[in-house]
Amino acid sequence: MSIPPAPAIPEAHAGAVLTIDLDAIAANYRLLKDRLNGAQCAAVVKADAYGLGIERVAPVLAAAGCRVFFVALIEEGIDLRQILNDTGDADLVDAEIHVLGGLMAGTEEAFDASRLVPVLNSLDEIDAWKAYGGQIESPLPCDLHADTGMGRLGLPPGEVDTLAEEPSRLDGLNILGVISHLACADEPDHPKNGRQLEAFLDLRLRLHQGQACLANSSAIFLGPEYHFDMVRPGVALYGVGPVPGQPNPMAQVVRLQGKIAQVRDVDTPQTVGYGATHQVEGPGRVATVTVGYADGYLRSLSNKGTGYIGDTPVPVVGRVSMDLITLDVSSIPAHLCLPGRFVDLIGPNNPVERVAEDAGTIGYEILTSLGNRYHRVYTGGGA
Ligand SMILES: *Cc1c(COP(=O)(O)O)cnc(C)c1O
């Protein structure tokens, strides 16, 4: 397999425990699907299922009914095909795997061998896939990705016009879908959403083959007019709120518990950590926890993050270093705050989006940064 399985680190050896609730992922899939009124619900599992482990996550989504997966890179697709085959479930052997990154020159045979669907982003990619299909004399499956305003990947409007004027350029291809991607779906009032919707409706009149697919997680919540034939959520499946600023309807998936290595008494005029950025203001206690930026606890959480012991907040004081953070635990009774005990760094009181906000980033980056030095525990999903 191309993505090596995460090394299994025993709990006693690990600096932290990362728990991933597979039942919550399945529940989130069903919650999204139930909003759709008939449209198909695909799942985006790129970047190792947003850092949560595609090997465990994909079979759970499949068991919840998902039959169409999107990945970013061909290598992720090859890996996922193997994972689905290994389930031994005849139903899943035929699941579709679409590769958003498109068709790189020289990868045609590998796409074909693992029955991957390239999302074609240009006339050149269309021509290359057609040429390969001609050699093996069977129509090859693909999607067309049209750029309606993201300005990142996809056929630019001029190339869409060319296809509309010369439909024979698509002869010999089995077009499963026409997709596009919204730039501002997480800002419901942004005028760009409506403009991209109009552009997509317009191009569907001219490129009407296959299923229409526009919505990511946030766009599902913009309304049914954004759902079309299929949606392709990612981050909401993994528990991150799809509409920033609104209550999060998704079940929380991730819990990260850092382990206390040492607790020390501090007093003025001490400072804590690199750069002496935290000045101790009076008598108190600081706990040192074995998680750092090398584990994806971002350095921007220095003097900003918050852990929890039970329901009591314990603020990060001083800089996040590579392997350690320091938290002010003065408010916690000493017997509840001893070496070996846990502090919630992501948990019920500080969900992924809260940590992201404290770090000045988005939940996507928190999830995909989660490190490989944790003791990983999967719950539910028949685990
Ligand atoms: C990553 C990605 C998605 C999934 O987006 P979420 O915001 O995680 O739901 C959908 N479509 C494309 C093109 C993507 O790159």
Side-chain angles (χ1 to χ4, degrees):
M1 269 199 283
S2 47
I3 299 176
I9 301 176
E11 179 177 338
H13 296 191
V17 175
L18 177 68
T19 305
I20 295 159
D21 183 347
L22 297 171
D23 284 346
I25 295 177
N28 288 337
Y29 179 81
R30 288 191 294 267
L31 184 147
L32 294 176
K33 200 180 162 74
D34 286 348
R35 292 186 66 94
L36 293 180
N37 214 353
Q40 196 172 355
C41 192
V44 181
V45 292
K46 61 193 179 189
D48 200 23
Y50 289 48
L52 302 187
I54 191 170
E55 215 178 321
R56 304 302 297 271
V57 168
V60 164
L61 289 167
C66 182
R67 291 295 176 273
V68 179
F69 295 91
F70 283 85
V71 294
L73 301 174
I74 181 173
E75 214 51 30
E76 297 174 336
I78 292 169
D79 191 41
L80 177 56
R81 178 58 75 205
Q82 189 66 48
I83 290 165
L84 293 175
N85 284 347
D86 287 349
T87 63
D89 183 334
D91 241 21
L92 301 188
V93 171
D94 291 329
E96 288 175 17
I97 303 172
H98 300 235
V99 180
L100 290 163
L103 186 71
M104 300 271 189
T107 60
E108 292 87 349
E109 265 187 68
F111 266 93
D112 191 21
S114 291
R115 292 179 292 116
L116 306 178
V117 180
V119 179
L120 303 175
N121 292 306
S122 67
L123 291 176
D124 286 346
E125 289 184 25
I126 289 169
D127 290 344
W129 196 227
K130 255 182 82 160
Y132 178 74
Q135 284 168 33
I136 62 165
E137 291 180 5
S138 68
L140 284 172
C142 62
D143 293 326
L144 303 178
H145 181 177
D147 181 15
T148 54
M150 178 65 151
R152 187 178 70 167
L153 265 185
L155 294 147
E159 295 197 359
V160 173
D161 293 343
T162 303
L163 287 179
E165 283 155 24
E166 302 170 46
S168 64
R169 293 188 73 137
L170 296 171
D171 285 354
L173 292 179
N174 175 16
I175 295 170
L176 300 183
V178 173
I179 81 163
S180 192
H181 194 41
L182 298 180
C184 305
D186 58 348
E187 297 174 57
D189 297 328
H190 201 293
K192 186 138 194 155
N193 294 321
R195 287 204 292 270
Q196 285 195 258
L197 178 63
E198 288 303 314
F200 191 64
L201 285 164
D202 175 64
L203 80 84
R204 275 303 278 169
L205 296 175
R206 296 180 297 140
L207 286 182
H208 39 73
Q209 298 95 322
Q211 291 187 296
C213 179
L214 179 63
N216 68 342
S217 299
S218 299
I220 292 172
F221 293 81
L222 290 177
E225 67 274 31
Y226 287 84
H227 296 170
F228 293 93
D229 302 313
M230 183 160 77
V231 300
R232 39 172 218 283
V235 81
L237 295 170
Y238 311 114
V240 175
V243 190
Q246 299 280 317
N248 181 3
M250 313 314 297
Q252 199 168 328
V253 172
V254 171
R255 182 169 195 185
L256 177 62
Q257 296 166 286
K259 212 184 268 175
I260 297 174
Q262 201 178 49
V263 181
R264 63 185 53 250
D265 294 320
V266 294
D267 202 348
T268 45
Q270 260 185 285
T271 64
V272 178
Y274 281 122
T277 63
H278 176 71
Q279 179 74 56
V280 177
E281 303 288 356
R285 276 174 304 116
V286 168
T288 303
V289 167
T290 42
V291 169
Y293 58 75
D295 304 296
Y297 198 82
L298 303 181
R299 193 165 174 275
S300 54
L301 290 162
S302 299
N303 291 306
K304 294 243 166 66
T306 303
Y308 280 82
I309 294 179
D311 289 327
T312 308
V314 288
V316 172
V317 290
R319 287 212 180 126
V320 173
S321 51
M322 188 183 292
D323 317 299
L324 298 169
I325 53 175
T326 34
L327 303 121
D328 185 338
V329 294
S330 306
S331 61
I332 306 289
H335 70 281
L336 293 179
C337 190
L338 296 167
R341 287 201 171 236
F342 288 121
V343 178
D344 273 333
L345 300 177
I346 301 174
N349 291 304
N350 48 355
V352 172
E353 46 277 83
R354 159 93 191 275
V355 176
E357 199 184 320
D358 290 346
T361 184
I362 53 177
Y364 302 73
E365 192 178 27
I366 299 296
L367 289 181
T368 56
S369 300
L370 288 169
N372 52 23
R373 299 197 294 184
Y374 300 135
H375 172 65
R376 283 194 179 217
V377 179
Y378 288 91
T379 62

